Amino acid sequence: VAITGLAQFLTSRLVKAAHEGDYELMRNAFASSLKAMEDEATSDAEIVASIPSVRKAFIGRDRAALQAETVGMFRTIEPKYAIDQAQFHVPPGVSFLRLHSPEKFGDDQTSYRPMLAEVHHEKSLRKGTAITKGGPAIFGIVPILDDKGQLAGSFEMGLEFGPVLKELKTAYGIEGAVFFEEKQLREIATDLEPDIITPKNRVGKYIRYYATHPDLMGAVVTDRDVEITEARRLERTVARSPWGVQLVPLYNYANKQIGVVALATSFAEDKALAGRSLVWQMLAAVFGVVVIAGVVLVAIRGLLLAPLASLTDRMTALAAGDASRPAEPLEDYCDELQKLASGYEKLRGQKQA
């Protein structure tokens, strides 16, 4: 029983260690996937900004020509590569052409987009998560310089969040959801689809912007859970199935928290294996008890205690003057009792003499 208890303790420690690995995997996989999307957005922006005809039209501030060169291309690649937004800016951060909404331009975005302002100030590319009028996205922004090396403006490409979480689900079976602060969405993302900021998507002060499994994520992440400023983990049971949930705060380029990412992985298999291990360990304990009982009955009682009781009776009779009861043959006794039986026979012989 003690060995079984120790084995169960070690099993529980192994399960806990496995879960620690699951949480770390979720954090690392999300960070890696997010960085890959940022790099992809940046490379896509660089490719478009380097097209000679596009550069010429933008540097010449010919909006009609720039729109003719880029909008058709954007509409072709948008559904294929999950591109959410694409936009040209002129210093310090004024929209010159939105490929996703060509009719809207001329607004200064520097007040709520520090990453864009820094690109124009530093004349170097930047990448990260941001909320714009079109909604949250993963951006890569590259500066566009004229032939004299002067800043003509910038071009950005914004990718959707959905593929980041879909990739985690496909590769690791991790369900995910991303939440953005409702106040910022209402103040900044004025062009966002109206069916997103709704009561059914409200979780605390956040709006569930995207989820791979909305029903599940709605069950494992509550209003109080998303109120975090640092990474947090928890376990929830949904439909009798245990889930490990990793919550990660999401920051924009200015290191201001704009949302929370929730990742969930099923612990059902681990729990099932731990349960089966407990059953086998209990069966092993029962088997051990039976074996030990057999040893006690056969070895100890049969080979030691019963012969010892027989010699005790004979010794008691001898002490009372009865020397008529010889001991069993010596080979019938175990090694430990043979000397005792031999001594008994000597005393019995002396008594008879």
Side-chain angles (χ1 to χ4, degrees):
V1 171
I3 292 174
T4 301
L6 177 62
Q8 183 58 24
F9 172 74
L10 294 176
T11 299
S12 65
R13 293 294 298 271
L14 289 174
V15 171
K16 184 178 180 181
H19 289 175
E20 290 290 335
D22 291 335
Y23 288 121
E24 184 177 2
L25 171 64
M26 287 190 281
R27 293 193 303 270
N28 293 340
F30 172 72
S32 177
S33 183
L34 182 60
K35 183 180 183 302
M37 293 294 284
E38 291 175 352
D39 293 340
E40 182 180 342
T42 304
S43 63
D44 291 345
E46 288 180 319
I47 291 172
V48 174
S50 65
I51 299 175
S53 58
V54 172
R55 284 176 48 81
K56 180 180 178 181
F58 179 65
I59 294 173
R61 298 297 188 262
D62 189 341
R63 182 178 290 105
L66 184 61
Q67 181 174 336
E69 288 287 341
T70 56
V71 171
M73 171 186 62
F74 173 78
R75 290 174 179 171
T76 300
I77 65 176
E78 177 186 13
K80 293 181 180 180
Y81 302 103
I83 299 175
D84 185 64
Q85 305 174 39
Q87 187 172 185
F88 287 91
H89 305 89
V90 295
V94 178
S95 175
F96 183 74
L97 175 64
R98 286 181 171 88
L99 305 189
H100 54 283
S101 298
E103 70 282 358
K104 298 178 181 179
F105 59 89
D107 53 307
D108 189 344
Q109 303 174 15
T110 54
S111 62
Y112 60 90
R113 299 197 61 190
M115 182 166 62
L116 175 62
E118 188 169 320
V119 169
H120 285 195
H121 183 266
E122 301 294 335
K123 299 181 182 179
S124 58
L125 67 86
R126 294 291 186 270
K127 53 189 174 181
T129 303
I131 299 177
T132 68
K133 286 184 177 295
I138 303 167
F139 288 96
I141 311 177
V142 297
I144 299 177
L145 307 179
D146 60 20
D147 296 336
K148 296 181 181 181
Q150 299 298 315
L151 180 69
S154 64
F155 176 69
E156 70 178 11
M157 192 76 81
L159 304 183
E160 298 175 358
F161 259 92
V164 176
L165 301 179
K166 288 179 181 177
E167 182 179 340
L168 296 181
K169 183 173 182 177
T170 301
Y172 305 103
I174 298 173
E175 301 287 356
V178 59
F179 306 83
F180 288 99
E181 190 174 323
E182 182 176 359
K183 181 180 178 182
Q184 295 190 49
L185 290 179
R186 291 188 180 277
E187 292 177 351
I188 301 174
T190 54
D191 295 339
L192 197 61
E193 295 293 335
D195 61 341
I196 294 179
I197 305 179
T198 60
K200 71 174 183 178
N201 290 330
R202 184 175 292 116
V203 182
K205 66 178 182 179
Y206 294 96
I207 291 294
R208 186 174 63 238
Y209 187 74
Y210 176 84
T212 57
H213 193 320
D215 293 337
L216 172 66
M217 298 310 295
V220 299
V221 181
T222 65
D223 293 358
R224 298 178 62 182
D225 296 331
V226 294
E227 298 296 330
I228 63 168
T229 56
E230 58 184 17
R232 181 191 171 196
R233 65 187 64 172
L234 52 92
E235 286 192 32
R236 286 281 156 76
T237 300
V238 179
R240 298 184 180 180
S241 179
W243 290 83
V245 182
Q246 177 69 61
L247 298 167
V248 181
L250 187 64
Y251 298 92
N252 64 7
Y253 182 77
N255 204 33
K256 179 181 179 182
Q257 185 173 352
I258 59 175
V260 173
V261 174
L263 306 169
T265 187
S266 176
F267 286 167
E269 184 176 357
D270 293 343
K271 295 291 186 181
L273 290 174
R276 286 197 290 270
S277 175
L278 176 60
V279 171
W280 282 108
Q281 289 164 8
M282 292 179 65
L283 289 176
V286 172
F287 179 75
V289 169
V290 171
V291 170
I292 292 174
V295 169
V296 170
L297 292 174
V298 175
I300 298 178
R301 292 189 62 182
L303 300 179
L304 182 62
L305 296 181
L308 180 60
S310 176
L311 280 175
T312 300
D313 291 341
R314 286 172 168 77
M315 192 69 73
T316 301
L318 180 63
D322 182 6
S324 63
R325 300 176 59 186
E328 301 293 336
L330 291 181
E331 58 269 14
D332 291 348
Y333 294 100
C334 61
D335 295 340
E336 292 79 8
L337 294 181
Q338 286 183 1
K339 291 183 179 181
L340 183 60
S342 178
Y344 168 75
E345 283 297 321
K346 289 181 180 180
L347 289 175
R348 192 175 74 86
Q350 292 176 2
K351 184 68 172 177
Q352 287 178 338

